[in-house]
Amino acid sequence: MWRFTDDNGSSPQERIEAALDAGITLFDTAAIYGFDGSDGFGGAETLLGTVFGEAPNLRDKIVLATKGGIEPGVPYDSSTDYLNTSLTASMQRLGVDHVELFQVHRPDVLTHPEELADTLQNMVESGKVGAVGVSNFTQAQISALQHYLDIPLATTQPEFSPLNLSPLQNGEFDQAMQNNMAILAWSPLGGGRIANAESTRERSVALRLDSAAKEFGVSRAVAAFSWIAAHPARPIPIIGSQTPARIAEAADIAKVGWTRQGWYEVLQAAMGEKLP
């Protein structure tokens, strides 16, 4: 929902329904989404709340996730007061009395993990939040937070794509598998660089994705989504398209079957070197 606005050539409700028709039920928003550097804070949540108001039946079909902890100009605040205020404001904008998932958007190094754990746990115990997770946290930060929690962290949300392999290489995927955390991969198309490959590395990755796309009759984007989802940690690519047709094609992810050789060919192209 990062780019969820009312001026994308199709109605907000049409995009929500296109996602649901494609089998997409997880909707990932945040308090900061809609902010353009000067105003619009909470805009994406407000717009989604408007859709719920006009079509209340859609809410029950959705796993609703939001994030808090970014304050423009600060930039991060995970104090108890701020996160509680952020959650309340998010629910008011969305017009809901609970969310299925609340994630801390960015790590605030000035908040002790014990304080953050207490805040998150109280959110769940209040009934306002079904589960909690983190976004853009390091492995050490995840471990420290989990140490103080009596409930499991349900999710971690790193940037991951064939052009950003960090969580695959730094142990975050291994940690997620060990702790049974769902991985929500943001920017799965490398910020558009997979669709518009320019550098030698980007073109090399695109070539191998195109090979799978041609074999299974899907787009390069869907091939990239399926490559991400094929990892045993089962990362969930967060699709950011605002075009109903592009949203709808995400259902094609099930058509793609990666061989080990094909998957590793994409990885080696992404790494720019052969594996030993």
Side-chain angles (χ1 to χ4, degrees):
M1 313 302 286
W2 175 39
R3 295 181 295 166
F4 190 59
T5 64
D6 58 5
D7 59 355
N8 285 94
S10 60
S11 75
Q13 184 173 334
E14 184 180 1
R15 280 169 268 156
I16 297 297
E17 291 175 341
L20 290 169
D21 288 344
I24 297 169
T25 56
L26 173 64
F27 287 75
D28 175 61
T29 190
I32 192 70
Y33 289 174
F35 183 67
D36 65 5
S38 59
D39 59 16
F41 187 87
E45 290 181 323
T46 299
L47 183 58
L48 183 55
T50 299
V51 173
F52 289 156
E54 295 172 350
N57 62 305
L58 294 178
R59 171 63 183 102
D60 291 338
K61 300 177 181 180
I62 284 173
V63 176
L64 183 58
T66 194
K67 298 183 288 292
I70 297 180
E71 174 70 15
V74 174
Y76 309 135
D77 191 342
S78 290
S79 65
T80 297
D81 287 346
Y82 184 83
L83 287 187
N84 284 334
T85 299
S86 179
L87 173 61
T88 298
S90 287
M91 292 193 301
Q92 289 173 344
R93 287 189 289 263
L94 291 162
V96 301
D97 60 6
H98 74 283
V99 295
E100 279 70 45
L101 174 67
F102 181 82
Q103 297 178 111
V104 183
H105 205 156
R106 294 272 178 178
D108 169 23
V109 298
L110 293 181
T111 296
H112 194 288
E114 184 174 18
E115 178 187 351
L116 180 55
D118 287 342
T119 304
L120 296 177
Q121 194 143 324
N122 287 334
M123 285 180 175
V124 173
E125 291 172 356
S126 73
K128 297 176 182 178
V129 170
V132 292
V134 295
S135 178
N136 303 294
F137 274 47
T138 67
Q139 291 78 0
Q141 289 166 339
I142 291 170
S143 293
L145 178 56
Q146 185 62 75
H147 172 77
Y148 290 104
L149 279 168
D150 293 330
I151 57 175
L153 286 169
T155 59
T156 179
Q157 186 164 347
E159 180 178 2
F160 180 66
S161 75
L163 297 178
N164 188 320
L165 303 172
S166 296
L168 175 64
Q169 296 170 323
N170 65 17
E172 187 168 354
F173 278 12
D174 303 288
Q175 181 185 47
M177 288 187 287
Q178 181 180 12
N179 295 336
N180 197 30
M181 299 171 69
I183 297 168
L184 310 183
W186 65 267
S187 199
L189 297 180
R193 291 178 296 142
I194 286 177
N196 301 296
E198 296 182 357
S199 70
T200 299
R201 174 177 175 248
E202 291 164 2
R203 290 195 297 270
S204 180
V205 168
L207 181 66
R208 285 155 180 83
L209 291 172
D210 284 346
S211 178
K214 181 178 180 181
E215 178 181 357
F216 294 101
V218 300
S219 69
R220 182 188 298 172
V222 170
F225 297 149
S226 68
W227 185 86
I228 290 169
H231 189 277
R234 301 178 68 188
I236 300 166
I238 301 297
I239 297 166
S241 176
Q242 297 296 307
T243 304
R246 288 286 183 87
I247 296 170
E249 75 172 10
D252 290 343
I253 191 173
K255 296 179 180 179
V256 185
W258 288 93
T259 63
R260 265 183 163 74
Q261 179 181 353
W263 195 92
Y264 274 113
E265 285 177 353
V266 175
L267 177 63
Q268 291 175 108
M271 293 170 59
E273 61 183 3
K274 292 284 187 180
L275 288 164

